[in-house]
Amino acid sequence: MPVYPFYQVDAFATRAFEGNQACVMPMEAFLADDELLKIAAENNVAETAYLVPQAEGVWALRWFTPAVEVPLCGHATLASAHVLFEAGGYAGDVIHFDTVQSGRLSVRRLADGRLEMDFPSAPIRPVPVTDDIVAALGARPLEAWGGMFYAARFDSPETVKSLTPDVKALKTLGAEGEGWDRGNFGCFALGGEGVDATSRFFAPGSGIDEDPATGSWHTMLSRILATHFGLPEATCQQAYPGRGARIDVRLEGDRVKLTGRAVTVIEGQFRL
């Protein structure tokens, strides 16, 4: 019976029950895709990250939701680096991850214990706010952009927090980004409780009605905030009901730095 190390981590969190859940499973080699997807469905959290060592300080990394493999995932990358630093005994300051669709990603351990991720930040473009999207979201955005996802700006953090979208309708709508299907919506407003922007992320197109803390979404949000609102550095709050997370972002050309913390909540073995 094959046995694999298993870690469940709350990412973009300072304690248990905050941020977003990710499972991290180091392996000597990737299993077949259908096996990886079955494991992710069994874990039944937003993403399961699989790690395979490549060289000193370098791991191959793939991410699966319970429904699909995704081209980029921030919180599960943060969780993976956290596991390698804390449980894997990696003594260096920087971990490199080689990914299938997002190239090389790096995570640096800062002096204060936070982890800083270096991610790509894809271009954005204005897109229309259509009546079917308004109906599915249950409120009318002020404006919207396409890129990796459909990004909708609302008038206030209170409007964002009160959204109750029709996720079944959202699944077939929105912007079709590079490597992503429709049905992935970032909804945000400027301001909030001590932050520059407040957002939520609905992802029925990736098999998740709402994601609690989404690093990939913040690579897009960072570009919007820098390009259109003069905020190349920003503190953001993802306002998932009952959990939520704060994510610091800094846009640097075509890259973005995402900073946060993580905590391990479960450690054990996965038996196939």
Side-chain angles (χ1 to χ4, degrees), residues 128-150:
V129 176
T130 59
D131 289 342
D132 53 356
I133 286 177
V134 173
L137 289 173
R140 181 173 291 277
L142 300 175
E143 55 190 331
W145 294 267
M148 294 175 66
F149 313 116
Y150 187 100

Side-chain angles (χ1 to χ4, degrees), residues 152-208:
R153 183 171 77 91
F154 291 86
D155 59 343
S156 71
E158 290 70 31
T159 298
V160 171
K161 291 177 182 180
S162 66
L163 290 173
T164 55
D166 179 344
V167 292
K168 185 177 180 180
L170 281 184
K171 187 173 182 178
T172 61
L173 300 175
E176 194 164 329
E178 184 67 29
W180 296 83
D181 294 326
R182 294 178 181 271
N184 293 284
F185 283 76
C187 300
F188 78 99
L190 298 177
E193 298 178 9
V195 297
D196 298 300
T198 300
S199 77
R200 292 169 68 188
F201 190 73
F202 304 100
S206 297
I208 303 164

Side-chain angles (χ1 to χ4, degrees), residues 1-6 25-43 48 50 268-272:
M1 176 184 293
V3 177
Y4 298 93
F6 172 91
M25 294 181 60
M27 299 177 166
E28 291 303 312
F30 291 119
L31 303 176
D33 289 5
D34 62 334
E35 288 293 304
L36 297 178
L37 188 58
K38 287 178 182 177
I39 293 170
E42 181 77 11
N43 291 338
T48 295
Y50 301 101
Q269 296 177 328
F270 194 109
R271 299 176 183 271
L272 289 182

Side-chain angles (χ1 to χ4, degrees), residues 31-169:
L31 303 176
D33 289 5
D34 62 334
E35 288 293 304
L36 297 178
L37 188 58
K38 287 178 182 177
I39 293 170
E42 181 77 11
N43 291 338
N44 198 32
V45 299
E47 263 88 10
T48 295
Y50 301 101
L51 305 173
V52 172
Q54 302 293 292
E56 178 63 26
V58 182
W59 282 262
L61 172 61
R62 296 174 70 183
W63 314 273
F64 285 74
T65 76
V68 296
E69 183 174 10
V70 295
L72 182 65
C73 179
H75 85 279
T77 302
L78 186 73
S80 297
H82 168 79
V83 166
L84 292 173
F85 281 128
E86 299 298 325
Y90 182 69
D93 291 328
V94 182
I95 290 171
H96 301 290
F97 294 112
D98 287 338
T99 70
V100 176
Q101 295 188 47
S102 296
R104 175 160 287 191
L105 311 176
S106 299
V107 184
R108 180 179 299 276
R109 179 164 50 184
L110 302 180
D112 63 4
R114 293 181 302 155
L115 299 180
E116 180 184 76
M117 301 187 292
D118 184 326
F119 273 28
S121 180
I124 57 174
R125 65 190 186 279
V127 294
V129 176
T130 59
D131 289 342
D132 53 356
I133 286 177
V134 173
L137 289 173
R140 181 173 291 277
L142 300 175
E143 55 190 331
W145 294 267
M148 294 175 66
F149 313 116
Y150 187 100
R153 183 171 77 91
F154 291 86
D155 59 343
S156 71
E158 290 70 31
T159 298
V160 171
K161 291 177 182 180
S162 66
L163 290 173
T164 55
D166 179 344
V167 292
K168 185 177 180 180

